[in-house]
Coordinates of all heavy atoms in Angstrom, one line a residue:
M1 N -0.6 -6.3 78.1 CA -0.6 -7.7 77.4 C 0.8 -7.8 76.8 O 1.2 -7.0 76.1 CB -1.7 -7.9 76.3 CG -1.9 -9.3 75.8 SD -3.3 -9.4 74.8 CE -2.5 -9.8 73.3
T2 N 1.4 -8.9 77.0 CA 2.8 -9.2 76.4 C 2.7 -9.9 75.0 O 1.9 -10.8 74.9 CB 3.6 -10.1 77.3 OG1 3.7 -9.5 78.6 CG2 5.0 -10.2 76.9
E3 N 3.3 -9.3 74.1 CA 3.1 -9.9 72.8 C 4.4 -10.9 72.5 O 5.6 -10.6 73.0 CB 3.3 -8.9 71.6 CG 1.8 -8.1 71.7 CD 2.1 -6.8 70.9 OE1 3.2 -6.4 70.8 OE2 1.0 -6.2 70.7
T4 N 4.0 -12.0 72.0 CA 5.1 -13.0 71.7 C 5.5 -13.0 70.3 O 4.6 -13.0 69.4 CB 4.6 -14.4 72.1 OG1 4.0 -14.3 73.5 CG2 5.6 -15.5 72.0
L5 N 6.8 -13.1 70.1 CA 7.3 -13.1 68.7 C 7.5 -14.5 68.2 O 8.0 -15.3 69.0 CB 8.6 -12.4 68.6 CG 8.6 -10.9 68.7 CD1 10.0 -10.3 68.4 CD2 7.7 -10.3 67.6
T6 N 7.0 -14.8 67.0 CA 7.2 -16.0 66.4 C 8.3 -15.8 65.3 O 8.1 -14.9 64.4 CB 5.9 -16.6 65.7 OG1 5.0 -16.9 66.7 CG2 6.2 -18.0 65.0
W7 N 9.5 -16.6 65.4 CA 10.5 -16.4 64.6 C 10.5 -17.4 63.4 O 10.3 -18.7 63.7 CB 11.9 -16.5 65.3 CG 12.1 -15.5 66.2 CD1 11.8 -15.5 67.7 CD2 12.6 -14.2 66.0 NE1 12.1 -14.3 68.1 CE2 12.7 -13.4 67.3 CE3 13.2 -13.6 64.9 CZ2 13.1 -12.2 67.3 CZ3 13.6 -12.2 65.0 CH2 13.6 -11.6 66.2
T8 N 10.5 -16.9 62.1 CA 10.3 -17.8 61.0 C 11.7 -17.7 60.2 O 12.1 -16.6 59.8 CB 9.2 -17.3 60.1 OG1 8.0 -17.4 61.0 CG2 8.9 -18.2 58.9
P9 N 12.2 -18.9 59.9 CA 13.4 -18.8 58.9 C 13.0 -18.5 57.5 O 11.9 -18.8 57.1 CB 13.9 -20.3 59.0 CG 12.6 -21.2 59.4 CD 11.8 -20.3 60.2
T10 N 13.9 -17.7 57.0 CA 13.7 -17.1 55.7 C 14.8 -17.6 54.8 O 14.7 -18.6 54.1 CB 13.4 -15.6 55.6 OG1 14.6 -15.0 56.2 CG2 12.3 -15.2 56.4
V11 N 15.8 -16.7 54.5 CA 16.7 -17.0 53.6 C 18.1 -16.9 54.3 O 18.3 -16.4 55.3 CB 16.8 -16.0 52.4 CG1 15.4 -16.1 51.6 CG2 16.9 -14.6 52.9
A12 N 19.3 -17.5 53.6 CA 20.5 -17.3 54.1 C 21.0 -16.0 53.7 O 20.6 -15.3 52.7 CB 21.4 -18.3 53.4
P13 N 22.0 -15.4 54.6 CA 22.5 -14.0 54.3 C 23.1 -14.0 52.9 O 23.0 -12.8 52.3 CB 23.6 -14.0 55.3 CG 23.2 -14.8 56.5 CD 22.6 -15.9 55.8
S14 N 23.5 -15.1 52.2 CA 24.1 -15.0 50.9 C 23.1 -14.6 49.9 O 23.4 -14.0 48.8 CB 24.7 -16.4 50.5 OG 23.6 -17.3 50.6
A15 N 21.8 -14.7 50.1 CA 20.7 -14.3 49.3 C 20.7 -12.8 49.1 O 20.1 -12.3 48.2 CB 19.4 -14.8 49.7
L16 N 21.3 -12.1 50.1 CA 21.4 -10.7 50.0 C 22.6 -10.1 49.5 O 22.8 -8.8 49.3 CB 21.1 -10.1 51.4 CG 20.0 -10.5 52.2 CD1 19.8 -10.0 53.6 CD2 18.7 -10.1 51.4
E17 N 23.6 -10.9 49.1 CA 24.9 -10.5 48.6 C 24.9 -9.7 47.4 O 25.5 -8.7 47.3 CB 25.8 -11.6 48.5 CG 26.4 -12.2 49.8 CD 27.3 -13.5 49.6 OE1 27.5 -13.8 48.5 OE2 27.7 -13.9 50.7
Q18 N 24.1 -10.1 46.4 CA 24.1 -9.3 45.1 C 23.5 -8.0 45.1 O 24.2 -7.0 44.7 CB 23.5 -10.3 44.0 CG 23.7 -9.5 42.7 CD 23.2 -10.6 41.5 OE1 22.7 -11.6 41.8 NE2 23.6 -10.2 40.3
Y19 N 22.3 -7.9 45.7 CA 21.5 -6.5 45.6 C 21.5 -6.0 47.0 O 21.0 -4.9 47.1 CB 20.2 -6.7 45.0 CG 20.3 -7.3 43.6 CD1 19.9 -8.6 43.3 CD2 20.8 -6.5 42.6 CE1 20.1 -9.1 41.9 CE2 21.0 -6.9 41.2 CZ 20.6 -8.3 41.0 OH 20.6 -8.8 39.7
G20 N 21.7 -6.7 48.1 CA 21.6 -6.2 49.4 C 20.0 -6.3 49.9 O 19.8 -5.9 51.0
V21 N 19.2 -6.8 49.0 CA 17.8 -7.0 49.3 C 17.2 -8.3 48.8 O 17.7 -8.6 47.6 CB 17.0 -5.7 48.9 CG1 17.3 -5.4 47.4 CG2 15.5 -5.8 49.3
A22 N 16.3 -8.9 49.5 CA 15.6 -10.1 48.8 C 14.2 -10.2 49.5 O 14.0 -9.6 50.6 CB 16.4 -11.3 49.2
Q23 N 13.4 -10.9 48.8 CA 12.0 -11.1 49.3 C 11.9 -12.4 50.0 O 12.5 -13.4 49.5 CB 11.1 -11.0 48.1 CG 9.6 -10.9 48.5 CD 8.6 -11.1 47.3 OE1 8.5 -12.1 46.7 NE2 8.0 -10.0 46.9
A24 N 11.0 -12.5 50.9 CA 10.7 -13.8 51.7 C 9.2 -13.6 51.9 O 8.6 -12.5 52.2 CB 11.5 -14.0 52.9
I25 N 8.6 -14.8 52.2 CA 7.2 -14.7 52.7 C 7.1 -15.3 54.0 O 7.6 -16.5 54.3 CB 6.3 -15.5 51.7 CG1 6.3 -14.9 50.3 CG2 4.9 -15.6 52.3 CD1 5.5 -15.6 49.4
V26 N 6.5 -14.6 55.0 CA 6.6 -15.0 56.4 C 5.1 -14.9 56.8 O 4.5 -13.9 56.8 CB 7.4 -14.1 57.4 CG1 7.2 -14.5 58.7 CG2 8.8 -14.1 56.9
G27 N 4.4 -16.1 57.2 CA 3.2 -16.1 57.6 C 2.2 -15.6 56.5 O 1.2 -14.8 57.0
G28 N 2.5 -15.7 55.4 CA 1.6 -15.2 54.2 C 1.8 -13.8 53.9 O 1.2 -13.3 53.1
T29 N 2.7 -13.2 54.6 CA 3.1 -11.7 54.4 C 4.4 -11.6 53.7 O 5.4 -12.3 54.1 CB 3.2 -11.0 55.7 OG1 1.9 -11.1 56.4 CG2 3.5 -9.5 55.5
K30 N 4.4 -10.8 52.6 CA 5.7 -10.6 51.8 C 6.5 -9.6 52.5 O 6.0 -8.5 53.0 CB 5.3 -10.1 50.4 CG 4.9 -11.2 49.4 CD 4.6 -10.6 48.1 CE 4.0 -11.7 47.2 NZ 3.7 -11.2 45.9
I31 N 7.8 -10.1 52.7 CA 8.7 -9.2 53.5 C 9.9 -8.9 52.6 O 10.3 -9.7 51.8 CB 9.3 -10.1 54.8 CG1 8.1 -10.6 55.7 CG2 10.4 -9.4 55.5 CD1 7.5 -9.4 56.4
A32 N 10.5 -7.9 52.8 CA 11.8 -7.4 52.2 C 12.9 -7.6 53.2 O 12.8 -6.8 54.3 CB 11.8 -6.1 51.6
L33 N 13.9 -8.2 53.0 CA 15.1 -8.3 53.9 C 16.3 -7.5 53.2 O 16.5 -7.5 52.0 CB 15.5 -9.8 54.0 CG 14.5 -10.6 54.8 CD1 14.5 -12.1 54.4 CD2 14.9 -10.5 56.3
Y34 N 16.9 -6.9 54.2 CA 18.0 -6.1 53.7 C 19.4 -6.2 54.5 O 19.3 -6.6 55.7 CB 17.7 -4.6 53.9 CG 16.3 -4.1 53.5 CD1 15.3 -4.1 54.4 CD2 16.2 -3.7 52.2 CE1 14.0 -3.8 53.9 CE2 14.9 -3.4 51.8 CZ 13.8 -3.3 52.7 OH 12.5 -3.0 52.2
A35 N 20.4 -6.2 53.8 CA 21.8 -6.2 54.5 C 22.4 -4.9 54.5 O 22.6 -4.3 53.3 CB 22.7 -7.2 53.8
V36 N 22.7 -4.2 55.6 CA 23.3 -3.0 55.6 C 24.5 -3.0 56.7 O 24.4 -3.2 57.8 CB 22.3 -1.9 56.1 CG1 23.0 -0.5 56.2 CG2 21.2 -1.9 55.3
D37 N 25.8 -2.8 56.1 CA 27.0 -2.8 56.9 C 27.1 -4.0 57.9 O 27.4 -3.8 59.0 CB 27.0 -1.5 57.7 CG 27.0 -0.3 56.8 OD1 27.6 -0.3 55.7 OD2 26.5 0.9 57.1
G38 N 26.7 -5.2 57.4 CA 26.8 -6.4 58.2 C 25.7 -6.7 59.1 O 25.7 -7.8 59.8
D39 N 24.7 -5.8 59.1 CA 23.5 -6.1 59.9 C 22.3 -6.4 59.0 O 22.3 -5.9 57.8 CB 23.1 -4.8 60.8 CG 24.2 -4.8 62.0 OD1 24.5 -5.9 62.5 OD2 24.6 -3.7 62.5
Y40 N 21.3 -6.9 59.6 CA 20.1 -7.3 58.7 C 18.8 -6.6 59.2 O 18.6 -6.6 60.4 CB 20.0 -8.8 58.7 CG 21.2 -9.5 58.1 CD1 22.1 -10.2 59.0 CD2 21.5 -9.5 56.8 CE1 23.3 -10.7 58.6 CE2 22.6 -10.1 56.4 CZ 23.6 -10.8 57.2 OH 24.7 -11.2 56.8
Y41 N 18.1 -6.3 58.3 CA 16.7 -5.6 58.6 C 15.6 -6.1 57.7 O 15.9 -6.8 56.7 CB 16.9 -4.1 58.4 CG 18.0 -3.4 59.1 CD1 19.2 -3.5 58.7 CD2 17.8 -2.9 60.4 CE1 20.3 -2.9 59.4 CE2 18.8 -2.5 61.2 CZ 20.1 -2.3 60.6 OH 21.1 -1.9 61.3
A42 N 14.4 -5.9 58.2 CA 13.3 -6.4 57.4 C 12.2 -5.4 57.5 O 12.0 -4.8 58.5 CB 12.8 -7.8 58.0
T43 N 11.5 -5.2 56.3 CA 10.3 -4.4 56.3 C 9.1 -5.1 55.6 O 9.5 -6.2 54.8 CB 10.5 -3.1 55.5 OG1 10.7 -3.3 54.1 CG2 11.7 -2.3 56.1
A44 N 7.9 -4.7 55.6 CA 7.0 -5.2 54.6 C 7.3 -5.0 53.3 O 8.1 -3.9 53.1 CB 5.6 -4.4 54.9
D45 N 7.1 -5.8 52.4 CA 7.7 -5.7 51.0 C 6.8 -4.7 50.1 O 7.3 -4.1 49.3 CB 7.5 -7.1 50.3 CG 8.3 -7.0 49.0 OD1 9.3 -6.5 48.9 OD2 7.6 -7.5 48.0
L46 N 5.6 -4.5 50.6 CA 4.6 -3.7 49.8 C 4.9 -2.2 50.1 O 4.8 -1.8 51.2 CB 3.2 -4.1 50.0 CG 2.2 -3.3 49.2 CD1 2.3 -3.6 47.7 CD2 0.8 -3.6 49.6
C47 N 5.2 -1.5 49.1 CA 5.3 0.1 49.3 C 4.1 0.7 49.8 O 3.0 0.1 49.4 CB 5.7 0.7 47.9 SG 6.0 2.4 48.0
T48 N 4.2 1.7 50.6 CA 3.0 2.2 51.3 C 2.4 3.2 50.2 O 1.3 3.8 50.5 CB 3.3 3.0 52.5 OG1 4.3 4.0 52.3 CG2 3.8 2.0 53.6
H49 N 3.0 3.5 49.2 CA 2.5 4.4 48.2 C 1.7 3.9 46.9 O 0.8 4.4 46.4 CB 3.6 5.2 47.6 CG 3.2 6.3 46.6 ND1 3.4 6.1 45.2 CD2 2.6 7.5 46.7 CE1 3.0 7.2 44.6 NE2 2.4 8.0 45.4
G50 N 2.1 2.5 46.7 CA 1.3 1.8 45.6 C 1.7 0.4 45.6 O 2.2 -0.2 46.6
Q51 N 1.3 -0.3 44.5 CA 1.5 -1.7 44.4 C 2.9 -2.0 43.8 O 3.1 -2.4 42.7 CB 0.4 -2.2 43.6 CG -1.0 -2.2 44.0 CD -1.2 -2.9 45.3 OE1 -0.8 -4.1 45.5 NE2 -1.7 -2.3 46.4
A52 N 3.9 -1.9 44.8 CA 5.2 -2.2 44.2 C 5.9 -3.0 45.3 O 5.8 -2.8 46.6 CB 6.0 -0.9 44.0
S53 N 6.8 -3.8 44.9 CA 7.7 -4.7 45.8 C 9.0 -4.0 46.1 O 9.7 -3.7 45.2 CB 8.0 -5.9 45.1 OG 9.0 -6.7 45.9
L54 N 9.2 -3.6 47.4 CA 10.4 -2.9 47.7 C 11.6 -3.9 47.5 O 12.7 -3.4 47.2 CB 10.3 -2.5 49.2 CG 9.3 -1.3 49.4 CD1 9.3 -1.1 51.0 CD2 9.6 -0.3 48.6
A55 N 11.4 -5.2 47.5 CA 12.6 -6.1 47.2 C 13.0 -6.0 45.8 O 14.1 -6.4 45.6 CB 12.1 -7.5 47.5
D56 N 12.2 -5.3 45.0 CA 12.7 -5.0 43.6 C 13.3 -3.7 43.5 O 13.6 -3.3 42.3 CB 11.4 -5.2 42.6 CG 11.0 -6.5 42.4 OD1 11.8 -7.5 42.6 OD2 9.8 -6.7 42.1
G57 N 13.5 -3.1 44.6 CA 14.0 -1.7 44.6 C 15.4 -1.6 44.6 O 16.2 -2.7 44.6
Y58 N 16.0 -0.5 44.7 CA 17.6 -0.2 44.8 C 17.8 0.2 46.2 O 17.4 1.2 46.7 CB 17.9 0.8 43.8 CG 19.2 1.3 43.8 CD1 20.3 0.5 43.4 CD2 19.6 2.5 44.4 CE1 21.5 0.8 43.5 CE2 20.9 3.0 44.3 CZ 21.9 2.1 43.9 OH 23.2 2.5 44.0
L59 N 18.8 -0.5 46.8 CA 19.2 -0.3 48.1 C 20.5 0.5 48.1 O 21.4 0.2 47.4 CB 19.5 -1.6 48.9 CG 19.9 -1.4 50.4 CD1 18.8 -0.9 51.2 CD2 20.4 -2.7 51.0
D60 N 20.5 1.7 48.8 CA 21.6 2.7 48.7 C 21.9 2.9 50.3 O 21.1 3.7 50.9 CB 21.3 3.9 48.0 CG 22.5 4.9 48.0 OD1 23.6 4.5 48.3 OD2 22.3 6.0 47.4
G61 N 22.9 2.2 50.8 CA 23.1 2.4 52.3 C 21.9 1.9 53.0 O 21.6 0.7 52.8
D62 N 21.3 2.7 53.9 CA 20.1 2.2 54.6 C 18.9 2.6 54.0 O 17.8 2.7 54.8 CB 20.2 2.5 56.1 CG 20.5 4.1 56.4 OD1 20.3 4.9 55.5 OD2 20.6 4.4 57.6
L63 N 18.9 3.2 52.8 CA 17.6 3.6 52.1 C 17.3 2.6 50.9 O 18.1 2.2 50.2 CB 17.8 5.0 51.5 CG 18.2 6.2 52.5 CD1 18.2 7.5 51.8 CD2 17.1 6.2 53.6
I64 N 16.0 2.3 50.9 CA 15.5 1.4 49.8 C 14.7 2.4 49.0 O 13.7 3.1 49.4 CB 14.7 0.2 50.3 CG1 14.3 -0.6 49.1 CG2 13.5 0.6 51.1 CD1 15.4 -1.4 48.4
E65 N 14.9 2.3 47.6 CA 14.2 3.2 46.7 C 13.2 2.3 46.0 O 13.6 1.2 45.4 CB 15.1 3.8 45.7 CG 14.5 4.6 44.7 CD 15.5 5.1 43.6 OE1 15.7 4.5 42.6 OE2 16.1 6.3 43.8
C66 N 11.9 2.7 46.1 CA 10.9 1.9 45.5 C 11.1 2.0 43.9 O 11.5 3.0 43.3 CB 9.5 2.5 45.7 SG 8.1 1.7 44.9
P67 N 10.9 0.7 43.2 CA 11.1 0.8 41.8 C 10.0 1.4 41.0 O 10.3 1.7 39.9 CB 11.1 -0.8 41.5 CG 10.2 -1.3 42.6 CD 10.4 -0.6 43.8
L68 N 8.9 1.8 41.6 CA 7.8 2.3 40.7 C 7.9 3.8 40.6 O 7.9 4.4 39.5 CB 6.4 1.9 41.4 CG 5.2 2.0 40.5 CD1 5.4 1.4 39.1 CD2 4.0 1.5 41.2
H69 N 8.0 4.5 41.8 CA 8.0 6.1 41.7 C 9.3 6.6 42.3 O 9.3 7.8 42.6 CB 6.7 6.7 42.3 CG 5.5 6.1 41.6 ND1 4.7 5.4 42.4 CD2 5.0 6.2 40.4 CE1 3.6 5.1 41.6 NE2 3.8 5.6 40.4
Q70 N 10.1 5.8 42.8 CA 11.5 6.2 43.5 C 11.3 6.9 44.8 O 12.2 7.7 45.2 CB 12.2 7.1 42.3 CG 12.9 6.3 41.2 CD 11.8 5.9 40.3 OE1 11.0 6.8 39.7 NE2 11.7 4.6 39.9
G71 N 10.2 6.6 45.4 CA 10.1 7.1 46.8 C 11.1 6.2 47.7 O 11.5 5.1 47.2
T72 N 11.5 6.7 48.8 CA 12.5 6.1 49.6 C 12.0 5.8 51.0 O 11.3 6.6 51.7 CB 13.8 6.8 49.6 OG1 13.7 8.1 49.9 CG2 14.5 6.6 48.2
F73 N 12.5 4.8 51.6 CA 12.3 4.5 53.0 C 13.7 4.2 53.7 O 14.5 3.5 53.1 CB 11.4 3.2 53.2 CG 10.1 3.4 52.5 CD1 9.8 3.0 51.2 CD2 9.0 3.9 53.2 CE1 8.5 3.1 50.7 CE2 7.8 4.0 52.7 CZ 7.6 3.6 51.5
N74 N 13.7 4.5 55.0 CA 14.9 3.9 55.8 C 14.5 2.6 56.2 O 13.5 2.3 56.9 CB 15.1 4.9 57.0 CG 16.3 4.6 57.8 OD1 16.4 3.3 58.2 ND2 17.1 5.4 58.0
V75 N 15.4 1.6 55.9 CA 15.1 0.2 56.1 C 15.2 -0.2 57.6 O 14.7 -1.1 58.1 CB 15.9 -0.8 55.3 CG1 15.8 -0.5 53.8 CG2 17.4 -0.7 55.7
K76 N 16.0 0.8 58.3 CA 16.2 0.5 59.8 C 14.9 0.9 60.6 O 14.6 0.3 61.6 CB 17.4 1.2 60.3 CG 18.6 0.7 59.7 CD 19.9 1.4 60.2 CE 21.2 1.1 59.6 NZ 22.4 1.9 60.0
T77 N 14.3 2.0 60.2 CA 13.2 2.5 61.0 C 11.9 2.4 60.2 O 10.9 2.5 60.9 CB 13.5 4.0 61.2 OG1 13.5 4.8 60.0 CG2 14.8 4.2 61.9
G78 N 12.0 2.2 59.0 CA 10.7 2.1 58.1 C 10.2 3.5 57.8 O 9.2 3.6 57.0
A79 N 10.8 4.6 58.2 CA 10.4 5.9 57.9 C 10.4 6.3 56.5 O 11.3 5.8 55.8 CB 11.3 6.9 58.7
A80 N 9.4 6.8 56.0 CA 9.3 7.3 54.6 C 10.1 8.6 54.6 O 9.9 9.6 55.2 CB 7.8 7.7 54.2
V81 N 11.2 8.6 53.7 CA 12.2 9.7 53.7 C 12.2 10.4 52.4 O 12.8 11.4 52.2 CB 13.6 9.4 54.3 CG1 13.5 8.8 55.6 CG2 14.2 8.2 53.4
G82 N 11.6 9.8 51.3 CA 11.6 10.5 50.0 C 10.3 10.4 49.4 O 9.7 9.4 49.3
A83 N 9.9 11.5 48.7 CA 8.7 11.7 48.0 C 8.6 10.6 46.9 O 9.7 10.5 46.3 CB 8.5 13.0 47.6
P84 N 7.4 10.2 46.5 CA 6.2 10.6 47.1 C 5.7 9.8 48.3 O 4.6 9.9 48.6 CB 5.2 10.2 45.8 CG 5.9 9.0 45.2 CD 7.4 9.3 45.3
C85 N 6.6 9.1 48.9 CA 6.2 8.3 50.0 C 6.1 9.1 51.3 O 6.9 9.9 51.5 CB 7.2 7.1 50.3 SG 7.4 6.0 48.8
T86 N 4.9 8.9 52.0 CA 4.8 9.8 53.2 C 4.4 8.8 54.4 O 4.4 9.3 55.5 CB 3.6 10.8 53.1 OG1 2.4 10.1 52.7 CG2 3.9 11.9 52.0
V87 N 4.0 7.6 54.1 CA 3.4 6.7 55.2 C 4.6 5.7 55.5 O 5.2 5.1 54.5 CB 2.2 6.1 54.9 CG1 1.9 5.0 55.9 CG2 1.3 7.1 54.7
A88 N 5.0 5.6 56.7 CA 6.1 4.6 56.9 C 5.7 3.2 56.7 O 4.7 2.8 56.6 CB 6.5 4.7 58.5
V89 N 6.8 2.4 56.3 CA 6.5 1.0 56.0 C 6.8 0.2 57.3 O 7.7 0.6 58.2 CB 7.4 0.5 54.9 CG1 8.9 0.5 55.3 CG2 6.9 -0.9 54.3
R90 N 6.2 -0.9 57.6 CA 6.3 -1.6 58.9 C 7.6 -2.4 58.9 O 8.2 -2.8 57.8 CB 5.2 -2.6 59.0 CG 5.3 -3.4 60.3 CD 3.9 -4.2 60.5 NE 4.0 -4.8 61.8 CZ 3.1 -5.6 62.3 NH1 1.9 -5.7 61.6 NH2 3.2 -6.1 63.5
T91 N 8.3 -2.3 60.0 CA 9.6 -3.1 60.1 C 9.4 -4.3 61.0 O 8.4 -4.3 61.9 CB 10.6 -2.1 60.7 OG1 10.1 -1.8 62.1 CG2 10.9 -1.0 60.0
Y92 N 10.2 -5.2 60.9 CA 10.1 -6.5 61.6 C 11.7 -6.8 62.1 O 12.6 -6.5 61.4 CB 9.7 -7.7 60.7 CG 8.3 -7.5 60.2 CD1 8.2 -6.9 59.0 CD2 7.2 -7.8 60.9 CE1 6.9 -6.7 58.5 CE2 6.0 -7.7 60.4 CZ 5.8 -7.2 59.1 OH 4.5 -7.0 58.7
P93 N 11.7 -7.4 63.3 CA 13.0 -7.7 63.8 C 13.5 -8.9 63.0 O 12.8 -9.8 62.6 CB 12.7 -8.2 65.3 CG 11.4 -8.6 65.4 CD 10.6 -7.7 64.3
V94 N 15.0 -9.0 62.9 CA 15.7 -10.0 62.2 C 16.7 -10.6 63.2 O 17.4 -9.7 63.7 CB 16.3 -9.5 60.9 CG1 16.9 -10.6 60.1 CG2 15.2 -8.9 60.0
K95 N 16.9 -11.9 63.2 CA 18.0 -12.4 63.8 C 18.7 -13.5 62.9 O 18.0 -14.2 62.2 CB 17.7 -12.9 65.1 CG 16.8 -14.2 65.2 CD 16.6 -14.5 66.7 CE 15.7 -15.7 66.7 NZ 15.3 -16.2 68.1
L96 N 20.0 -13.7 63.0 CA 20.7 -14.8 62.3 C 20.9 -15.9 63.2 O 21.4 -15.8 64.3 CB 22.1 -14.2 61.7 CG 22.9 -15.2 61.0 CD1 22.3 -15.6 59.7 CD2 24.3 -14.5 60.7
E97 N 20.4 -17.1 62.9 CA 20.5 -18.2 63.7 C 20.7 -19.4 62.7 O 20.0 -19.7 61.7 CB 19.1 -18.4 64.4 CG 19.2 -19.3 65.6 CD 18.0 -19.2 66.5 OE1 17.8 -18.3 67.2 OE2 17.1 -20.1 66.2
N98 N 21.8 -20.3 63.2 CA 22.1 -21.4 62.4 C 22.2 -21.0 60.8 O 21.8 -21.9 60.0 CB 21.1 -22.5 62.5 CG 21.0 -22.9 64.0 OD1 21.9 -23.0 64.6 ND2 19.7 -23.1 64.4
G99 N 22.7 -20.0 60.5 CA 23.1 -19.6 59.1 C 21.9 -19.1 58.3 O 22.0 -19.0 57.1
V100 N 20.8 -18.8 59.1 CA 19.5 -18.5 58.3 C 19.0 -17.2 59.0 O 19.0 -17.1 60.2 CB 18.5 -19.5 58.3 CG1 17.3 -19.1 57.7 CG2 19.0 -20.8 57.6
L101 N 18.5 -16.3 58.2 CA 17.9 -15.1 58.7 C 16.4 -15.4 59.2 O 15.7 -15.9 58.4 CB 17.9 -14.0 57.7 CG 19.2 -13.5 57.3 CD1 19.1 -12.5 56.1 CD2 19.9 -12.9 58.5
H102 N 16.1 -15.1 60.4 CA 14.8 -15.4 61.0 C 14.0 -14.1 61.2 O 14.6 -13.1 61.7 CB 15.0 -16.1 62.4 CG 15.3 -17.5 62.2 ND1 16.5 -18.0 61.8 CD2 14.7 -18.6 62.5 CE1 16.7 -19.2 61.7 NE2 15.5 -19.7 62.3
V103 N 12.9 -14.0 60.7 CA 12.0 -12.7 61.1 C 11.0 -13.0 62.0 O 10.3 -14.0 62.1 CB 11.3 -12.4 59.7 CG1 10.4 -11.2 59.8 CG2 12.4 -11.9 58.6
G104 N 10.9 -12.0 62.9 CA 10.1 -12.2 64.0 C 8.7 -11.4 63.8 O 8.7 -10.3 63.3
M105 N 7.6 -12.1 64.1 CA 6.3 -11.5 63.9 C 5.4 -11.8 65.3 O 5.6 -12.9 65.7 CB 5.5 -12.1 62.7 CG 6.0 -11.6 61.4 SD 4.7 -11.9 60.2 CE 5.4 -10.9 58.9
E106 N 4.7 -10.8 65.5 CA 3.7 -11.0 66.7 C 2.8 -12.2 66.4 O 2.3 -12.3 65.3 CB 3.0 -9.8 67.0 CG 3.9 -8.7 67.4 CD 3.2 -7.3 67.3 OE1 2.1 -7.3 67.1 OE2 3.9 -6.3 67.4
S107 N 2.6 -13.0 67.4 CA 1.7 -14.1 67.4 C 0.6 -14.0 68.4 O 0.6 -13.2 69.1 CB 2.4 -15.4 67.5 OG 3.1 -15.6 68.6
Ligands
FES1 FE1 6.4 3.0 45.7 FE2 4.9 4.8 44.4 S1 4.5 2.7 44.6 S2 6.8 5.2 45.4

């Protein structure tokens, strides 16, 4: 079965300028958007370790540090790379169109 992506506009890249990360809601799901070296990435906003928003975390290169227990994820792959996180966070495709970042979700 072929899955179709629905692209939803979220925020302008300027929203990521200050911290490199921002939150958006796509189809009722909270998403964290990241800017890394001129490219854009998106993951689920909810940390897989607890009830924390990754968009409130600290972005260092391609790693987002959770604000609650300082676990880390690679924002490009979603891989959990720093304890106490062990479960990957879901990633979503991002594209820049008409000056707005669009996040793709299966529909
Ligand atoms: Fe994110 Fe614990 S809630 S590391």
Side-chain angles (χ1 to χ4, degrees):
M1 190 172 115
T2 305
E3 289 162 347
T4 308
L5 287 181
T6 298
W7 293 94
T8 302
T10 59
V11 298
S14 59
L16 304 176
E17 276 175 10
Q18 188 169 8
Y19 301 110
V21 55
Q23 189 190 73
I25 296 178
V26 177
T29 300
K30 287 183 181 172
I31 301 292
L33 288 149
Y34 312 92
V36 180
D37 296 331
D39 288 321
Y40 302 102
Y41 302 90
T43 70
D45 184 49
L46 184 65
C47 181
T48 59
H49 180 253
Q51 298 295 314
S53 165
L54 295 178
D56 290 335
Y58 172 69
L59 184 68
D60 182 11
D62 57 8
L63 300 181
I64 184 71
E65 182 184 88
C66 177
L68 195 52
H69 307 114
Q70 289 73 52
T72 51
F73 300 91
N74 183 306
V75 304
K76 297 178 179 178
T77 65
V81 294
C85 300
T86 56
V87 177
V89 69
R90 184 167 182 179
T91 60
Y92 299 92
V94 180
K95 68 179 178 182
L96 181 61
E97 198 170 280
N98 298 324
V100 176
L101 296 172
H102 290 63
V103 173
M105 282 195 175
E106 294 162 10
S107 55

